[in-house]
Amino acid sequence: MITHKEQIINYFKSGIRETKDFKIGIEHEKFLFDQNKDKRVDYSIILKMFKGLYEFGWKPILENKNVIGLKKSGKSITLEPGNQIELSGDQLNNIHEACSEAQNYLFEIKQVIKRLDLKIVSAGFDPISKISEVPNNPKQRYEVMTKDMPNGGELSLDMMYRTCGTQLNVDYSSEKDFVKKFKVANSIVPISIALFANSSIVEKKNSGYLSYRSKVWQNTSRGGLPEAFFENMNFEKYADFAINFPILFIQKDKEYISGKKYLFSDFMNGKIKELENKLPTENDLTTHLSTIFTENRLKKYIELRSMDACGWECLCSGPAFNTGILYGNLDEAYDLISKWDKNKIINAYLEAPKKGFNTELMGKDLFYWTSILLEISKKGLESRDIIGKGGYNETHYLGHLEKIIDNKTTNADHMISEFSKNENLNDLYDK
Protein backbone atom coordinates (compact mmCIF):
# COMPACT_ATOMS: atom_id res chain seq x y z
CA MET A 1 0.00 0.00 0.00
CA ILE A 2 1.13 3.56 -0.73
CA THR A 3 1.11 5.49 2.55
CA HIS A 4 4.32 7.55 2.50
CA LYS A 5 5.95 9.96 0.08
CA GLU A 6 9.15 7.90 0.08
CA GLN A 7 7.28 5.06 -1.60
CA ILE A 8 6.37 7.36 -4.50
CA ILE A 9 9.95 8.61 -4.73
CA ASN A 10 11.12 4.99 -4.89
CA TYR A 11 8.52 4.35 -7.61
CA PHE A 12 10.21 7.03 -9.73
CA LYS A 13 13.68 5.71 -8.83
CA SER A 14 12.68 2.27 -10.08
CA GLY A 15 12.49 3.76 -13.59
CA ILE A 16 16.22 4.57 -13.63
CA ARG A 17 18.07 2.79 -16.46
CA GLU A 18 21.62 2.69 -17.65
CA THR A 19 22.15 4.91 -20.67
CA LYS A 20 22.89 1.93 -22.88
CA ASP A 21 19.43 0.55 -22.02
CA PHE A 22 17.46 3.70 -22.88
CA LYS A 23 14.30 3.02 -24.86
CA ILE A 24 11.91 5.09 -26.95
CA GLY A 25 8.14 4.70 -26.78
CA ILE A 26 5.80 6.48 -29.17
CA GLU A 27 2.04 6.90 -28.83
CA HIS A 28 0.02 8.45 -31.63
CA GLU A 29 -3.69 9.00 -32.15
CA LYS A 30 -5.81 9.11 -35.31
CA PHE A 31 -9.38 10.11 -36.16
CA LEU A 32 -11.49 7.62 -38.11
CA PHE A 33 -14.26 8.76 -40.46
CA ASP A 34 -16.88 7.11 -42.62
CA GLN A 35 -15.71 8.53 -45.95
CA ASN A 36 -19.18 8.37 -47.49
CA LYS A 37 -20.79 10.50 -44.79
CA ASP A 38 -17.84 12.56 -43.44
CA LYS A 39 -18.86 11.37 -39.97
CA ARG A 40 -16.75 10.02 -37.11
CA VAL A 41 -17.17 6.26 -36.72
CA ASP A 42 -19.30 4.85 -33.92
CA TYR A 43 -18.44 1.98 -31.60
CA SER A 44 -20.11 -0.65 -33.81
CA ILE A 45 -17.72 0.24 -36.64
CA ILE A 46 -14.77 0.22 -34.26
CA LEU A 47 -15.66 -3.37 -33.33
CA LYS A 48 -15.65 -4.33 -37.02
CA MET A 49 -12.28 -2.68 -37.47
CA PHE A 50 -10.86 -4.44 -34.43
CA LYS A 51 -12.19 -7.76 -35.72
CA GLY A 52 -10.39 -7.12 -39.01
CA LEU A 53 -7.14 -6.57 -37.12
CA TYR A 54 -7.37 -9.97 -35.43
CA GLU A 55 -5.98 -11.52 -38.62
CA PHE A 56 -2.73 -9.59 -38.00
CA GLY A 57 -2.30 -11.15 -34.56
CA TRP A 58 -4.00 -8.52 -32.43
CA LYS A 59 -5.93 -9.79 -29.38
CA PRO A 60 -8.88 -8.06 -27.67
CA ILE A 61 -8.67 -6.13 -24.40
CA LEU A 62 -11.93 -6.51 -22.50
CA GLU A 63 -13.74 -4.42 -19.91
CA ASN A 64 -17.03 -5.89 -18.66
CA LYS A 65 -17.18 -8.04 -21.82
CA ASN A 66 -16.78 -4.96 -24.04
CA VAL A 67 -13.76 -4.79 -26.36
CA ILE A 68 -12.00 -1.51 -25.53
CA GLY A 69 -8.66 -2.10 -27.24
CA LEU A 70 -6.23 -4.57 -28.75
CA LYS A 71 -2.80 -5.87 -27.80
CA LYS A 72 0.05 -7.58 -29.60
CA SER A 73 3.53 -8.23 -28.19
CA GLY A 74 4.53 -5.02 -26.39
CA LYS A 75 2.05 -2.84 -28.30
CA SER A 76 -1.56 -1.92 -27.75
CA ILE A 77 -4.30 -0.06 -29.58
CA THR A 78 -6.47 1.90 -27.18
CA LEU A 79 -9.84 3.52 -27.70
CA GLU A 80 -10.08 7.22 -26.83
CA PRO A 81 -13.35 8.91 -25.72
CA GLY A 82 -14.56 9.86 -29.22
CA ASN A 83 -13.37 6.59 -30.77
CA GLN A 84 -10.02 8.00 -31.78
CA ILE A 85 -7.59 5.08 -31.97
CA GLU A 86 -4.17 5.29 -30.35
CA LEU A 87 -1.21 3.05 -30.95
CA SER A 88 0.84 2.73 -27.76
CA GLY A 89 4.08 1.44 -29.19
CA ASP A 90 6.56 -1.04 -27.82
CA GLN A 91 9.75 -0.02 -26.01
CA LEU A 92 12.20 0.38 -28.86
CA ASN A 93 15.90 1.11 -29.24
CA ASN A 94 15.93 3.89 -31.82
CA ILE A 95 13.92 5.94 -34.30
CA HIS A 96 14.49 3.40 -37.10
CA GLU A 97 12.62 0.78 -35.09
CA ALA A 98 9.92 3.26 -34.09
CA CYS A 99 9.33 4.31 -37.69
CA SER A 100 9.21 0.68 -38.81
CA GLU A 101 6.63 -0.04 -36.11
CA ALA A 102 4.48 2.84 -37.36
CA GLN A 103 4.72 1.68 -40.97
CA ASN A 104 3.69 -1.87 -40.05
CA TYR A 105 0.74 -0.48 -38.12
CA LEU A 106 -0.21 1.72 -41.07
CA PHE A 107 -0.13 -1.27 -43.41
CA GLU A 108 -2.43 -3.28 -41.14
CA ILE A 109 -4.85 -0.41 -40.54
CA LYS A 110 -5.08 0.38 -44.26
CA GLN A 111 -6.04 -3.19 -45.13
CA VAL A 112 -8.94 -3.06 -42.70
CA ILE A 113 -10.29 0.47 -43.20
CA LYS A 114 -10.31 0.02 -46.97
CA ARG A 115 -12.79 -2.84 -46.60
CA LEU A 116 -14.97 -0.73 -44.30
CA ASP A 117 -14.92 2.45 -46.43
CA LEU A 118 -13.19 4.40 -43.68
CA LYS A 119 -10.62 7.17 -43.88
CA ILE A 120 -8.08 8.56 -41.44
CA VAL A 121 -7.59 12.19 -40.47
CA SER A 122 -4.14 12.87 -39.02
CA ALA A 123 -4.59 16.24 -37.32
CA GLY A 124 -4.38 17.61 -33.80
CA PHE A 125 -8.06 18.55 -33.78
CA ASP A 126 -11.08 17.14 -35.59
CA PRO A 127 -11.44 19.53 -38.55
CA ILE A 128 -15.00 18.51 -39.44
CA SER A 129 -17.23 17.50 -36.53
CA LYS A 130 -19.11 19.53 -33.97
CA ILE A 131 -18.76 18.06 -30.49
CA SER A 132 -22.46 17.08 -30.53
CA GLU A 133 -21.73 14.89 -33.56
CA VAL A 134 -18.93 12.87 -31.97
CA PRO A 135 -19.94 9.36 -30.81
CA ASN A 136 -18.76 7.74 -27.60
CA ASN A 137 -18.06 4.19 -26.44
CA PRO A 138 -18.67 2.01 -23.37
CA LYS A 139 -15.22 2.47 -21.78
CA GLN A 140 -16.22 3.12 -18.18
CA ARG A 141 -13.74 5.75 -17.09
CA TYR A 142 -14.91 8.10 -19.83
CA GLU A 143 -18.37 8.34 -18.27
CA VAL A 144 -16.86 9.75 -15.08
CA MET A 145 -14.47 12.00 -17.00
CA THR A 146 -17.24 13.40 -19.22
CA LYS A 147 -19.19 14.42 -16.12
CA ASP A 148 -16.34 15.78 -14.00
CA MET A 149 -13.72 17.21 -16.38
CA PRO A 150 -15.66 20.33 -17.53
CA ASN A 151 -15.73 21.55 -13.91
CA GLY A 152 -12.03 22.44 -14.08
CA GLY A 153 -11.57 23.49 -17.71
CA GLU A 154 -14.07 24.87 -20.20
CA LEU A 155 -12.64 22.98 -23.19
CA SER A 156 -12.11 19.65 -21.40
CA LEU A 157 -14.70 17.80 -23.48
CA ASP A 158 -13.13 19.10 -26.68
CA MET A 159 -9.85 17.65 -25.41
CA MET A 160 -11.44 14.28 -24.80
CA TYR A 161 -13.53 13.96 -27.93
CA ARG A 162 -11.88 16.13 -30.60
CA THR A 163 -8.07 16.09 -30.14
CA CYS A 164 -5.28 13.79 -31.28
CA GLY A 165 -1.61 14.01 -30.38
CA THR A 166 1.76 12.33 -30.69
CA GLN A 167 3.59 11.43 -27.48
CA LEU A 168 7.19 10.39 -26.88
CA ASN A 169 8.29 8.48 -23.78
CA VAL A 170 11.95 8.72 -22.74
CA ASP A 171 14.08 7.26 -19.96
CA TYR A 172 16.45 8.77 -17.41
CA SER A 173 19.72 7.39 -15.99
CA SER A 174 19.55 9.10 -12.59
CA GLU A 175 17.55 11.67 -10.67
CA LYS A 176 19.98 14.35 -11.87
CA ASP A 177 19.44 13.22 -15.47
CA PHE A 178 15.67 13.40 -14.94
CA VAL A 179 15.91 16.95 -13.57
CA LYS A 180 17.80 18.16 -16.67
CA LYS A 181 15.57 16.35 -19.17
CA PHE A 182 12.37 17.49 -17.50
CA LYS A 183 13.50 21.11 -17.42
CA VAL A 184 14.50 21.01 -21.08
CA ALA A 185 11.27 19.25 -22.07
CA ASN A 186 9.12 21.86 -20.31
CA SER A 187 11.16 24.82 -21.57
CA ILE A 188 10.79 23.83 -25.22
CA VAL A 189 7.01 23.26 -25.08
CA PRO A 190 6.33 26.55 -26.96
CA ILE A 191 8.71 25.41 -29.70
CA SER A 192 6.97 22.02 -29.90
CA ILE A 193 3.60 23.74 -30.23
CA ALA A 194 4.83 25.99 -33.05
CA LEU A 195 6.87 23.37 -34.92
CA PHE A 196 4.30 20.57 -34.79
CA ALA A 197 1.19 22.76 -35.21
CA ASN A 198 -1.36 20.81 -37.24
CA SER A 199 -4.84 21.79 -36.09
CA SER A 200 -5.87 24.98 -37.83
CA ILE A 201 -9.21 23.84 -39.28
CA VAL A 202 -12.14 23.50 -36.86
CA GLU A 203 -15.71 22.66 -37.92
CA LYS A 204 -14.70 23.17 -41.58
CA LYS A 205 -13.40 26.70 -40.98
CA ASN A 206 -10.06 28.37 -40.33
CA SER A 207 -9.98 28.59 -36.53
CA GLY A 208 -7.51 31.46 -36.40
CA TYR A 209 -5.13 29.15 -34.56
CA LEU A 210 -2.24 27.12 -35.91
CA SER A 211 -2.56 24.60 -33.09
CA TYR A 212 -6.13 24.72 -31.83
CA ARG A 213 -5.37 21.46 -30.05
CA SER A 214 -2.84 23.27 -27.84
CA LYS A 215 -5.37 26.03 -27.14
CA VAL A 216 -7.81 23.34 -26.01
CA TRP A 217 -5.27 21.62 -23.77
CA GLN A 218 -4.47 24.96 -22.15
CA ASN A 219 -8.15 25.15 -21.15
CA THR A 220 -8.45 21.55 -20.01
CA SER A 221 -8.92 20.46 -16.42
CA ARG A 222 -5.71 19.06 -14.87
CA GLY A 223 -3.61 20.31 -17.81
CA GLY A 224 -1.22 23.14 -18.53
CA LEU A 225 2.43 23.95 -17.85
CA PRO A 226 2.84 24.46 -14.08
CA GLU A 227 5.34 27.06 -12.96
CA ALA A 228 6.73 24.52 -10.50
CA PHE A 229 8.00 22.42 -13.41
CA PHE A 230 10.75 24.98 -14.03
CA GLU A 231 12.13 24.79 -10.48
CA ASN A 232 14.56 21.88 -11.00
CA MET A 233 11.78 19.41 -10.37
CA ASN A 234 13.29 16.32 -8.69
CA PHE A 235 11.61 13.08 -7.63
CA GLU A 236 10.59 14.43 -4.21
CA LYS A 237 9.12 17.62 -5.65
CA TYR A 238 7.17 15.66 -8.25
CA ALA A 239 5.96 13.29 -5.52
CA ASP A 240 4.69 16.33 -3.57
CA PHE A 241 3.03 17.62 -6.74
CA ALA A 242 1.27 14.29 -7.33
CA ILE A 243 0.26 13.83 -3.68
CA ASN A 244 -1.41 17.25 -3.63
CA PHE A 245 -3.08 16.80 -7.02
CA PRO A 246 -6.83 16.01 -7.14
CA ILE A 247 -7.92 12.47 -7.99
CA LEU A 248 -9.93 12.15 -11.20
CA PHE A 249 -11.43 8.72 -10.64
CA ILE A 250 -10.88 5.64 -8.52
CA GLN A 251 -11.38 2.02 -9.51
CA LYS A 252 -13.54 0.02 -7.14
CA ASP A 253 -14.49 -3.60 -7.89
CA LYS A 254 -13.99 -3.08 -11.65
CA GLU A 255 -16.14 0.06 -11.53
CA TYR A 256 -14.95 3.67 -11.78
CA ILE A 257 -16.15 6.24 -9.29
CA SER A 258 -15.53 9.99 -9.24
CA GLY A 259 -12.59 11.33 -7.27
CA LYS A 260 -14.99 14.01 -5.95
CA LYS A 261 -12.18 16.53 -5.49
CA TYR A 262 -10.22 14.25 -3.17
CA LEU A 263 -6.46 14.75 -3.24
CA PHE A 264 -4.19 11.74 -3.53
CA SER A 265 -3.02 12.58 0.00
CA ASP A 266 -6.57 11.82 1.18
CA PHE A 267 -6.29 8.40 -0.46
CA MET A 268 -2.93 7.79 1.23
CA ASN A 269 -4.42 8.76 4.58
CA GLY A 270 -7.42 6.43 4.22
CA LYS A 271 -9.98 9.23 4.01
CA ILE A 272 -12.03 8.13 1.02
CA LYS A 273 -15.34 6.89 2.41
CA GLU A 274 -16.53 5.52 -0.97
CA LEU A 275 -13.65 3.01 -0.71
CA GLU A 276 -14.36 2.16 2.94
CA ASN A 277 -11.17 4.11 3.75
CA LYS A 278 -8.94 1.63 1.88
CA LEU A 279 -5.39 2.65 1.00
CA PRO A 280 -3.98 3.01 -2.55
CA THR A 281 -1.98 0.29 -4.25
CA GLU A 282 0.80 0.89 -6.74
CA ASN A 283 -1.78 0.40 -9.50
CA ASP A 284 -3.82 3.25 -8.01
CA LEU A 285 -0.71 5.43 -8.03
CA THR A 286 -0.04 4.55 -11.67
CA THR A 287 -3.62 5.45 -12.58
CA HIS A 288 -3.36 8.76 -10.72
CA LEU A 289 -0.10 9.71 -12.48
CA SER A 290 -1.77 8.90 -15.81
CA THR A 291 -4.59 11.36 -15.15
CA ILE A 292 -2.30 14.35 -14.62
CA PHE A 293 -2.74 15.98 -18.03
CA THR A 294 0.14 18.46 -18.00
CA GLU A 295 2.21 19.07 -21.15
CA ASN A 296 4.88 16.72 -19.78
CA ARG A 297 4.62 14.30 -16.89
CA LEU A 298 6.54 11.69 -14.93
CA LYS A 299 5.76 8.03 -14.41
CA LYS A 300 8.69 5.59 -14.45
CA TYR A 301 9.76 7.53 -17.54
CA ILE A 302 9.10 11.02 -18.92
CA GLU A 303 6.17 11.61 -21.24
CA LEU A 304 6.37 14.48 -23.76
CA ARG A 305 2.84 15.44 -24.79
CA SER A 306 2.91 18.74 -26.72
CA MET A 307 2.89 17.60 -30.35
CA ASP A 308 -0.17 17.68 -32.59
CA ALA A 309 -0.89 14.45 -34.46
CA CYS A 310 0.48 14.55 -37.99
CA GLY A 311 0.44 12.50 -41.16
CA TRP A 312 2.40 9.32 -41.68
CA GLU A 313 5.10 11.15 -43.64
CA CYS A 314 6.07 13.23 -40.60
CA LEU A 315 5.17 10.86 -37.77
CA CYS A 316 8.81 10.05 -36.96
CA SER A 317 10.05 13.64 -37.08
CA GLY A 318 8.79 14.68 -33.64
CA PRO A 319 10.25 11.69 -31.82
CA ALA A 320 13.51 12.13 -33.76
CA PHE A 321 13.69 15.83 -32.86
CA ASN A 322 13.24 15.17 -29.14
CA THR A 323 15.45 12.07 -29.09
CA GLY A 324 18.31 14.03 -30.64
CA ILE A 325 17.95 16.68 -27.94
CA LEU A 326 17.29 14.55 -24.85
CA TYR A 327 19.35 11.45 -25.63
CA GLY A 328 22.02 12.82 -27.97
CA ASN A 329 22.75 16.41 -26.98
CA LEU A 330 21.18 17.15 -23.60
CA ASP A 331 23.95 19.34 -22.19
CA GLU A 332 23.92 21.81 -25.09
CA ALA A 333 20.13 22.04 -24.95
CA TYR A 334 20.23 22.53 -21.18
CA ASP A 335 22.82 25.30 -21.47
CA LEU A 336 20.55 27.04 -23.99
CA ILE A 337 17.30 26.92 -22.02
CA SER A 338 19.01 27.73 -18.70
CA LYS A 339 19.29 31.31 -19.93
CA TRP A 340 15.54 31.60 -20.48
CA ASP A 341 13.17 33.24 -17.99
CA LYS A 342 10.39 30.89 -16.87
CA ASN A 343 7.73 33.62 -17.02
CA LYS A 344 8.65 34.38 -20.61
CA ILE A 345 8.50 30.66 -21.44
CA ILE A 346 5.01 30.43 -19.95
CA ASN A 347 3.92 33.55 -21.85
CA ALA A 348 5.29 32.05 -25.10
CA TYR A 349 3.46 28.82 -24.27
CA LEU A 350 0.16 30.70 -24.02
CA GLU A 351 0.72 32.63 -27.26
CA ALA A 352 2.21 29.85 -29.43
CA PRO A 353 -1.08 28.13 -30.39
CA LYS A 354 -2.18 31.29 -32.23
CA LYS A 355 1.06 32.99 -33.23
CA GLY A 356 3.20 29.93 -33.96
CA PHE A 357 6.71 30.82 -35.08
CA ASN A 358 5.91 34.54 -34.63
CA THR A 359 5.65 34.10 -30.87
CA GLU A 360 8.38 35.97 -29.01
CA LEU A 361 10.66 34.36 -26.42
CA MET A 362 13.62 36.16 -24.86
CA GLY A 363 13.64 38.84 -27.55
CA LYS A 364 13.64 36.38 -30.47
CA ASP A 365 10.82 34.65 -32.31
CA LEU A 366 10.20 30.93 -31.98
CA PHE A 367 11.39 30.38 -35.54
CA TYR A 368 14.85 31.49 -34.38
CA TRP A 369 14.85 29.14 -31.39
CA THR A 370 13.42 26.26 -33.43
CA SER A 371 16.27 26.57 -35.95
CA ILE A 372 18.83 26.41 -33.15
CA LEU A 373 17.15 23.45 -31.45
CA LEU A 374 16.88 21.58 -34.74
CA GLU A 375 20.65 21.90 -35.15
CA ILE A 376 21.17 20.74 -31.56
CA SER A 377 18.96 17.73 -32.27
CA LYS A 378 20.75 16.96 -35.53
CA LYS A 379 24.13 16.98 -33.78
CA GLY A 380 22.67 14.71 -31.10
CA LEU A 381 21.41 12.17 -33.62
CA GLU A 382 24.71 12.31 -35.49
CA SER A 383 26.58 11.56 -32.26
CA ARG A 384 24.28 8.57 -31.64
CA ASP A 385 25.17 7.45 -35.19
CA ILE A 386 22.71 4.57 -35.24
CA ILE A 387 22.47 3.22 -38.79
CA GLY A 388 19.22 1.66 -39.96
CA LYS A 389 18.51 -0.89 -42.66
CA GLY A 390 18.34 1.90 -45.24
CA GLY A 391 21.98 2.75 -44.61
CA TYR A 392 21.34 6.15 -42.99
CA ASN A 393 21.33 7.37 -39.39
CA GLU A 394 18.45 8.92 -37.43
CA THR A 395 19.02 12.44 -38.83
CA HIS A 396 17.13 11.13 -41.88
CA TYR A 397 13.87 11.59 -39.94
CA LEU A 398 14.47 15.32 -39.44
CA GLY A 399 13.96 15.91 -43.17
CA HIS A 400 10.33 16.96 -42.74
CA LEU A 401 11.29 19.52 -40.08
CA GLU A 402 14.14 20.88 -42.19
CA LYS A 403 11.60 21.54 -44.96
CA ILE A 404 9.43 23.42 -42.45
CA ILE A 405 12.41 25.59 -41.51
CA ASP A 406 13.49 26.12 -45.12
CA ASN A 407 9.97 27.14 -46.20
CA LYS A 408 8.82 28.59 -42.87
CA THR A 409 5.59 26.68 -43.50
CA THR A 410 4.18 24.29 -40.88
CA ASN A 411 1.63 21.52 -41.43
CA ALA A 412 -0.99 23.95 -40.13
CA ASP A 413 0.00 26.62 -42.68
CA HIS A 414 -0.12 24.04 -45.45
CA MET A 415 -3.60 22.88 -44.43
CA ILE A 416 -4.91 26.45 -44.26
CA SER A 417 -3.56 27.05 -47.77
CA GLU A 418 -4.92 23.82 -49.24
CA PHE A 419 -8.32 23.89 -47.58
CA SER A 420 -8.89 27.60 -48.23
CA LYS A 421 -8.61 27.08 -51.99
CA ASN A 422 -11.82 25.11 -52.36
CA GLU A 423 -12.89 23.97 -48.87
CA ASN A 424 -12.97 20.39 -50.11
CA LEU A 425 -13.27 17.97 -47.18
CA ASN A 426 -11.20 15.41 -49.10
CA ASP A 427 -8.19 17.67 -48.54
CA LEU A 428 -8.49 16.95 -44.80
CA TYR A 429 -8.15 13.17 -45.10
CA ASP A 430 -4.91 11.20 -45.28
CA LYS A 431 -3.99 10.40 -48.84
Side-chain angles (χ1 to χ4, degrees):
M1 297 299 162
I2 305 293
T3 56
H4 296 90
K5 178 169 67 175
E6 192 64 34
Q7 292 171 286
I8 301 177
I9 295 171
N10 288 333
Y11 177 92
F12 298 141
K13 285 181 177 177
S14 70
I16 291 173
R17 289 185 171 185
E18 292 187 36
T19 303
K20 66 180 179 62
D21 296 325
F22 278 175
K23 301 293 183 183
I24 296 163
I26 301 176
E27 301 177 24
H28 52 91
E29 299 166 316
K30 302 291 182 187
F31 296 109
L32 287 173
F33 279 79
D34 181 325
Q35 67 175 344
N36 299 314
K37 301 176 183 177
D38 294 319
K39 298 290 186 184
R40 293 272 291 277
V41 301
D42 62 22
Y43 181 64
S44 66
I45 301 299
I46 288 290
L47 291 179
K48 290 179 181 178
M49 191 199 73
F50 281 173
K51 190 174 181 180
L53 288 170
Y54 293 166
E55 65 187 80
F56 295 102
W58 292 92
K59 305 294 183 185
I61 299 171
L62 299 175
E63 180 183 81
N64 291 347
K65 298 183 180 179
N66 291 313
V67 180
I68 59 166
L70 303 175
K71 58 186 176 183
K72 180 169 70 169
S73 303
K75 304 182 287 291
S76 64
I77 299 173
T78 56
L79 197 55
E80 298 302 303
N83 295 325
Q84 308 98 308
I85 54 169
E86 178 183 75
L87 176 70
S88 296
D90 206 346
Q91 295 185 36
L92 303 170
N93 295 303
N94 52 63
I95 302 298
H96 302 297
E97 291 183 3
C99 220
S100 177
E101 176 187 70
Q103 291 302 320
N104 291 337
Y105 173 65
L106 170 61
F107 172 80
E108 294 171 356
I109 289 288
K110 275 189 169 180
Q111 308 311 303
V112 177
I113 66 173
K114 187 177 180 180
R115 296 197 294 262
L116 296 172
D117 280 336
L118 307 182
K119 277 195 173 183
I120 292 171
V121 170
S122 296
F125 194 88
D126 181 338
I128 298 172
S129 316
K130 295 179 180 178
I131 195 162
S132 60
E133 299 170 334
V134 180
N136 57 18
N137 60 64
K139 201 167 175 179
Q140 286 182 300
R141 67 183 66 183
Y142 298 151
E143 185 177 346
V144 175
M145 291 174 67
T146 298
K147 181 181 177 182
D148 288 357
M149 286 284 288
N151 296 327
E154 61 182 358
L155 298 180
S156 294
L157 295 184
D158 285 302
M159 177 280 288
M160 290 176 61
Y161 289 93
R162 295 203 287 176
T163 65
C164 278
T166 299
Q167 177 176 301
L168 176 68
N169 304 328
V170 297
D171 292 317
Y172 43 84
S173 61
S174 64
E175 184 172 22
K176 183 179 178 182
D177 185 47
F178 160 72
V179 169
K180 292 180 77 169
K181 284 175 176 166
F182 201 64
K183 189 167 185 177
V184 169
N186 286 295
S187 297
I188 67 173
V189 164
I191 285 89
S192 289
I193 290 172
L195 182 57
F196 301 105
N198 189 33
S199 48
S200 49
I201 308 299
V202 174
E203 295 180 15
K204 308 174 194 175
K205 296 186 180 100
N206 185 348
S207 67
Y209 288 82
L210 295 166
S211 177
Y212 190 71
R213 171 189 172 273
S214 296
K215 167 67 175 176
V216 166
W217 276 91
Q218 289 174 0
N219 291 275
T220 288
S221 175
R222 313 170 67 81
L225 190 60
E227 188 175 332
F229 281 14
F230 297 94
E231 302 298 332
N232 292 322
M233 177 70 73
N234 58 20
F235 291 154
E236 182 175 8
K237 288 178 182 177
Y238 200 94
D240 285 330
F241 175 75
I243 287 168
N244 293 298
F245 204 84
I247 297 169
L248 179 54
F249 52 72
I250 308 161
Q251 196 167 1
K252 178 186 178 184
D253 301 327
K254 297 185 178 180
E255 299 288 331
Y256 288 90
I257 60 174
S258 170
K260 293 185 181 297
K261 301 291 184 180
Y262 287 116
L263 303 179
F264 197 73
S265 59
D266 296 321
F267 203 173
M268 293 170 66
N269 292 323
K271 293 182 178 179
I272 300 182
K273 295 177 182 177
E274 290 85 348
L275 295 179
E276 291 81 41
N277 307 113
K278 290 180 181 177
L279 298 171
T281 64
E282 186 171 297
N283 284 339
D284 293 316
L285 173 61
T286 300
T287 297
H288 178 59
L289 295 173
S290 297
T291 57
I292 294 172
F293 298 140
T294 48
E295 297 289 337
N296 300 295
R297 65 188 180 196
L298 174 62
K299 294 180 181 175
K300 293 185 180 182
Y301 45 85
I302 305 167
E303 294 185 346
L304 282 65
R305 299 159 33 82
S306 300
M307 296 179 283
D308 281 2
C310 72
W312 303 93
E313 77 286 348
C314 71
L315 182 62
C316 305
S317 62
F321 174 75
N322 287 289
T323 297
I325 291 170
L326 298 176
Y327 279 178
N329 204 2
L330 178 62
D331 289 340
E332 187 175 350
Y334 187 79
D335 287 344
L336 177 72
I337 62 95
S338 292
K339 301 177 181 70
W340 296 354
D341 179 272
K342 68 181 179 183
N343 293 317
K344 292 183 177 180
I345 297 172
I346 293 171
N347 185 65
Y349 162 65
L350 295 173
E351 292 187 350
K354 194 175 186 72
K355 294 183 177 179
F357 283 146
N358 293 320
T359 305
E360 185 177 301
L361 173 61
M362 303 300 294
K364 303 285 187 181
D365 62 24
L366 292 188
F367 183 79
Y368 171 84
W369 294 118
T370 302
S371 301
I372 289 177
L373 282 163
L374 187 56
E375 283 304 308
I376 288 174
S377 174
K378 191 172 184 179
K379 283 194 281 185
L381 295 178
E382 285 172 345
S383 70
R384 279 164 60 85
D385 197 30
I386 299 173
I387 308 299
K389 292 178 181 178
Y392 44 76
N393 67 23
E394 293 166 305
T395 60
H396 171 81
Y397 304 103
L398 297 178
H400 178 79
L401 304 183
E402 290 172 332
K403 286 180 183 176
I404 288 176
I405 295 299
D406 289 344
N407 300 322
K408 207 172 182 179
T409 303
T410 64
N411 292 331
D413 294 315
H414 178 73
M415 183 52 69
I416 290 170
S417 174
E418 288 298 306
F419 186 66
S420 296
K421 289 175 186 174
N422 54 19
E423 297 190 353
N424 186 339
L425 294 183
N426 286 329
D427 292 334
L428 302 174
Y429 293 109
D430 287 10
K431 300 298 186 284

